[in-house]
Amino acid sequence: MPTEIRGSVERVVFYNPENHYAVLKVSVPGEVVTVTGAFPQVRAGQMLRIEGNWEEHPKYGNQLKAVSHETLPFHSPQAVERYLASGLIKGIGPVMAKKIVGKFGAQTIEILDQNPSRLSEVEGIGPKKLAGLLNSLNEQKQLKNIMIAFQEYEISPAYAMKIYKQYGAQSIRMLKENPYRLAEDINGIGFIKADSIAAKTGIPKDSPFRAQAGILYLLERFSEEGHIYYPYPDLLTEAEKNLSIPGENLRKAVAALFERGKIVIEGIIGAGGMEADEKAVYLKPLHDAECEVAHGIKALLGTERHALSQPYLCPKKPLAFRGPLPSEGEGFTFEQDKTLPKEGVAAPDAAMDRIVLSPKQAEAVSYALRERVFIITGGPGVGKTTIVKAILDIYKSRGKKVLLAAPTGRAAKRLSELARQEAKTIHRLLEYTPAQGFRRNRLYPLNADMLILDESSMIDTPLMARLLDAFPSGRRHTAGEHHAGEHHAGGDRHGPGCGLILVGDSNQLASVGPGNVLGDLIGSGAVPTARLDEIFRQSRQSLIVVNAHRINKGEMPQFPEGRGGDFHFIRLMEPAAILERLLDLCARTLPARGFDPFRDIQVLSPMHKGTLGVSNLNRTLQGLLNKDAGGEKAGPFLAGDKVMQIRNNYEKDVYNGDTGRIKEIRKGEIVADFYGRQVVYGRTETEELQLAYAASVHKSQGSEYPVVVMPIVTEHFMLLQRNLLYTAVTRAKKLMVLLGQPKALAIAVKNAKMTTRYTALKGRLENP
């Protein structure tokens, strides 16, 4: 049963103006109690009636967690003075508060509420000061009325403040006329919440407002599934099913959205151009992004080639780059190097070591040096990193500037370690800030001769569009285009332009965001591509590498005899038995072999739900591995927990999929360590984190772990796909352990069907 208390606010211990969460000390007869909850405009001296539930905090003791509250009349002039002196009303401080209460006494609040112009009677308040105070009081009254009105629609104070900031005095009118505007204008309020509010205002289910908002909601949902567009007939079918709105109303809604510029409708683009009978419906930003990527790639393909080296055919015999590197435009001279292994070609590197290249790798290097845009794709152990190192060394030896980037922080960190040069996330490379967006663009492009982008299968269409927008074009600047403070080598030109090398594994899962950039670029045939499939001798000793390639070909993986080897499959049938064995592996067996359960071992699962889904695995592993954690708790989190960032936070410089460890929790705030850097999360920001003892295979993209443990059962049937299993296996560096049902493993290996993503980038590149 909720408890009710009445008392005055003695002190505001903590207050967050964004969501109005507060920790209060409230004086009630005989004691002072701690109260937590959402309290808009709370100030010391206020009288409150509070309903809530008592909770025992491990560090701060007994607290009342407020469910609802209301403001009561002040019980004394002293309380009124404390309230006014708190700074709630702009222009009234402690001195002015004393004067006002001295003038009006117990009637102060009534006068401020009903006849505020009488403030002119107070010494020191002239016409200009009075006008400012009246304006501040009016804003306060508006906000108070809006907060009260919004309670009827179950809108939290945090969202009420966002709505008020967006619409001001028109907030209530807008809410009653078209609450679906909230889904478009207010970050965090989606169609579902707006639909709930609309139902309370009496707006009919077949309202044009609802139909348009519902169409946008479905297109956004489809984009979260990876689609850039959705076929028009299928969109109408899904809308009828999900919104229960007649088809004719939905067609009118689509037309209205097109007229408003919210969506784009065009013929579906195939190899032969537009197919007139088929229509594709895009959200406008996704259509713009896809067109920008196509335009940017075509521009790179159509510009002059590098002058660093001339085209050459890779000879069949092993060769070496000999002597000093050639002058620009001369090309390389080759001679046979009999000291090298017969399968290799050597290239110089900055440390004067020798990098051994196979003929196919040397051919890839030659194309990478001569093409403005080039793709290097292949599975593990085929030498992609060796090629990148060779290209880096050749460019550096010529004094050329090379930038390295990857879509995620984890992938960038790994690339830095492999290449021994700083690599940045794409967002950091483009100098993104929430306030300004992407600072690097066509007017302030990147300054480099080459950009190497690793883990390219992870990059989605909108981010690729922003990257290409910042690409140096090699053109001369027009007047006014130079960015202050940016010096470009060679005067006012960027030279011959910047090359782009995309490195990635096209057989992995597609990007989490919308689009299929790497797959579409390769599939179009428009971009020169090196496909590497030869596993090098040292990599053939790893069953992780061998089995990854076997799985990719649709062949069952091989398993070592006995306890040796780096790839194991433990056959178990029942989910409960699989869970028990998995827990034993993570807590006892693998740690006994020297693997740290937090740093080295990563559990992956195809699904979130179920006994062996990510959610249950995280709860269970937390209880097993971090059971002795003491101190304060923040939601599901404890000090010492392994956590993952689940959305990009550019202000904190942590990104979707980054993993860290909670160092401490203090007053509801979480301090987490990400790759040696401390990141602080406020009380309202902890929803950006989730436990990371287990993670989905999708979230693991771009990462490598010493040990991967993965359950595989037929209840995961919907996601038992070859590319998902392949992606999971290629995450493991030292040891891969699958445990579960042989039938489920066979299903995953044989199921080559990939989820279709509706994109038109391939068609745009195939057509002029």
Side-chain angles (χ1 to χ4, degrees), residues 195-274:
D195 205 31
S196 172
I197 295 169
K200 293 181 175 67
T201 64
I203 290 178
K205 289 283 187 182
D206 61 351
S207 159
F209 294 138
R210 183 171 185 270
Q212 291 180 42
I215 293 289
L216 292 177
Y217 161 70
L218 286 174
L219 288 173
E220 287 165 0
R221 197 180 77 186
F222 296 145
S223 76
E224 291 170 0
E225 296 172 2
H227 303 297
I228 295 292
Y229 71 84
Y230 214 71
Y232 179 66
D234 296 344
L235 175 63
L236 292 180
T237 300
E238 289 294 318
E240 278 196 70
K241 182 171 68 176
N242 286 274
L243 304 174
S244 301
I245 295 176
E248 183 58 32
N249 293 32
L250 293 170
R251 283 187 282 274
K252 290 179 180 177
V254 171
L257 288 169
F258 177 78
E259 290 295 324
R260 290 173 57 197
K262 292 288 184 179
I263 63 173
V264 173
I265 304 173
E266 67 179 21
I268 292 177
I269 301 174
M274 295 284 189

Side-chain angles (χ1 to χ4, degrees), residues 145-157 159-160 163 171-179 182 189 192-203:
N145 291 338
I146 287 168
M147 290 290 187
I148 293 170
F150 280 8
Q151 287 182 14
E152 179 184 346
Y153 305 111
E154 299 179 9
I155 298 174
S156 70
Y159 283 125
I163 294 168
S171 296
I172 295 175
R173 181 183 65 80
M174 184 284 310
L175 189 71
K176 291 181 177 179
E177 288 180 1
N178 180 16
L182 299 177
I189 296 184
I192 301 298
K193 181 63 177 175
D195 205 31
S196 172
I197 295 169
K200 293 181 175 67
T201 64
I203 290 178

Side-chain angles (χ1 to χ4, degrees), residues 333-344:
T333 57
F334 296 95
E335 64 181 53
Q336 187 166 358
D337 184 357
K338 296 178 181 179
T339 66
L340 291 174
K342 289 187 178 181
E343 61 186 29

Side-chain angles (χ1 to χ4, degrees), residues 54-166:
W54 290 105
E55 293 184 349
E56 185 67 27
H57 192 281
K59 186 173 181 180
Y60 301 107
N62 210 20
Q63 298 181 340
L64 185 68
K65 186 176 182 180
V67 176
S68 64
H69 74 278
E70 66 173 322
T71 304
L72 300 175
F74 289 92
H75 64 282
S76 69
Q78 290 79 16
V80 175
E81 185 178 326
R82 286 181 64 205
Y83 170 72
L84 293 179
S86 67
L88 177 67
I89 302 170
K90 190 176 179 181
I92 298 180
V95 174
M96 186 56 68
K98 193 173 190 68
K99 288 183 179 181
I100 292 171
V101 175
K103 176 68 177 176
F104 300 117
Q107 293 183 300
T108 299
I109 295 299
E110 182 182 346
I111 288 170
L112 290 176
D113 190 44
Q114 298 180 11
N115 193 11
S117 59
R118 286 193 60 190
L119 286 170
S120 61
E121 301 172 21
V122 177
E123 180 187 354
I125 298 181
K128 187 175 180 179
K129 177 85 168 177
L130 178 64
L133 290 174
L134 292 177
N135 184 59
S136 181
L137 286 166
N138 186 52
E139 285 184 1
Q140 257 201 327
K141 187 181 289 186
Q142 279 184 5
L143 181 57
K144 182 180 178 182
N145 291 338
I146 287 168
M147 290 290 187
I148 293 170
F150 280 8
Q151 287 182 14
E152 179 184 346
Y153 305 111
E154 299 179 9
I155 298 174
S156 70
Y159 283 125
M161 276 299 296
K162 286 185 178 182
I163 294 168
Y164 179 72
K165 287 178 181 178
Q166 178 74 24

Side-chain angles (χ1 to χ4, degrees), residues 343 356 381 383 386 535-542 545:
E343 61 186 29
V356 178
T386 302
I535 306 175
F536 284 90
R537 183 186 303 162
Q538 63 271 28
S539 296
R540 292 189 204 121
Q541 299 171 7
S542 167
V545 173

Side-chain angles (χ1 to χ4, degrees), residues 662-683:
I662 294 178
K663 305 298 289 184
E664 63 174 319
I665 299 175
R666 57 193 185 203
K667 295 184 180 179
E669 288 188 340
I670 289 176
V671 181
D673 182 280
F674 286 89
Y675 315 120
R677 195 168 54 83
Q678 306 290 302
V679 180
V680 180
Y681 294 82
R683 290 173 181 268

Side-chain angles (χ1 to χ4, degrees), residues 176-413:
K176 291 181 177 179
E177 288 180 1
N178 180 16
Y180 294 101
R181 281 278 303 277
L182 299 177
E184 295 184 35
D185 298 342
I186 308 298
N187 186 34
I189 296 184
F191 173 78
I192 301 298
K193 181 63 177 175
D195 205 31
S196 172
I197 295 169
K200 293 181 175 67
T201 64
I203 290 178
K205 289 283 187 182
D206 61 351
S207 159
F209 294 138
R210 183 171 185 270
Q212 291 180 42
I215 293 289
L216 292 177
Y217 161 70
L218 286 174
L219 288 173
E220 287 165 0
R221 197 180 77 186
F222 296 145
S223 76
E224 291 170 0
E225 296 172 2
H227 303 297
I228 295 292
Y229 71 84
Y230 214 71
Y232 179 66
D234 296 344
L235 175 63
L236 292 180
T237 300
E238 289 294 318
E240 278 196 70
K241 182 171 68 176
N242 286 274
L243 304 174
S244 301
I245 295 176
E248 183 58 32
N249 293 32
L250 293 170
R251 283 187 282 274
K252 290 179 180 177
V254 171
L257 288 169
F258 177 78
E259 290 295 324
R260 290 173 57 197
K262 292 288 184 179
I263 63 173
V264 173
I265 304 173
E266 67 179 21
I268 292 177
I269 301 174
M274 295 284 189
E275 299 173 12
D277 295 335
E278 298 290 336
K279 290 181 181 178
V281 184
Y282 295 79
L283 288 170
K284 179 68 163 55
L286 290 182
H287 181 269
D288 291 349
E290 188 173 76
C291 290
E292 287 166 14
V293 172
H295 175 77
I297 293 295
K298 285 181 176 180
L300 284 172
L301 291 169
T303 51
E304 62 189 287
R305 292 181 171 186
H306 286 191
L308 184 64
S309 68
Q310 295 298 315
Y312 62 85
L313 295 175
C314 177
K316 294 180 180 179
K317 293 182 179 180
L319 300 173
F321 300 115
R322 284 299 198 186
L325 286 168
S327 301
E328 217 163 285
E330 289 181 4
F332 289 108
T333 57
F334 296 95
E335 64 181 53
Q336 187 166 358
D337 184 357
K338 296 178 181 179
T339 66
L340 291 174
K342 289 187 178 181
E343 61 186 29
V345 175
D349 91 349
M352 300 308 291
D353 298 329
R354 298 178 75 77
I355 297 175
V356 178
L357 302 177
S358 71
K360 200 163 188 178
Q361 286 177 311
E363 185 177 22
V365 170
S366 73
Y367 273 96
L369 295 176
R370 75 177 191 176
E371 300 290 347
R372 281 295 303 280
V373 57
F374 186 65
I375 296 172
I376 301 169
T377 186
V382 297
K384 298 191 297 292
T385 301
T386 302
I387 293 173
V388 169
K389 286 180 178 178
I391 294 167
L392 269 173
D393 291 340
I394 293 169
Y395 264 80
K396 286 179 179 178
S397 68
R398 286 301 320 276
K400 300 292 185 179
K401 183 176 180 181
V402 182
L403 299 175
L404 303 178
T408 68
R410 294 170 303 168
K413 183 174 184 290

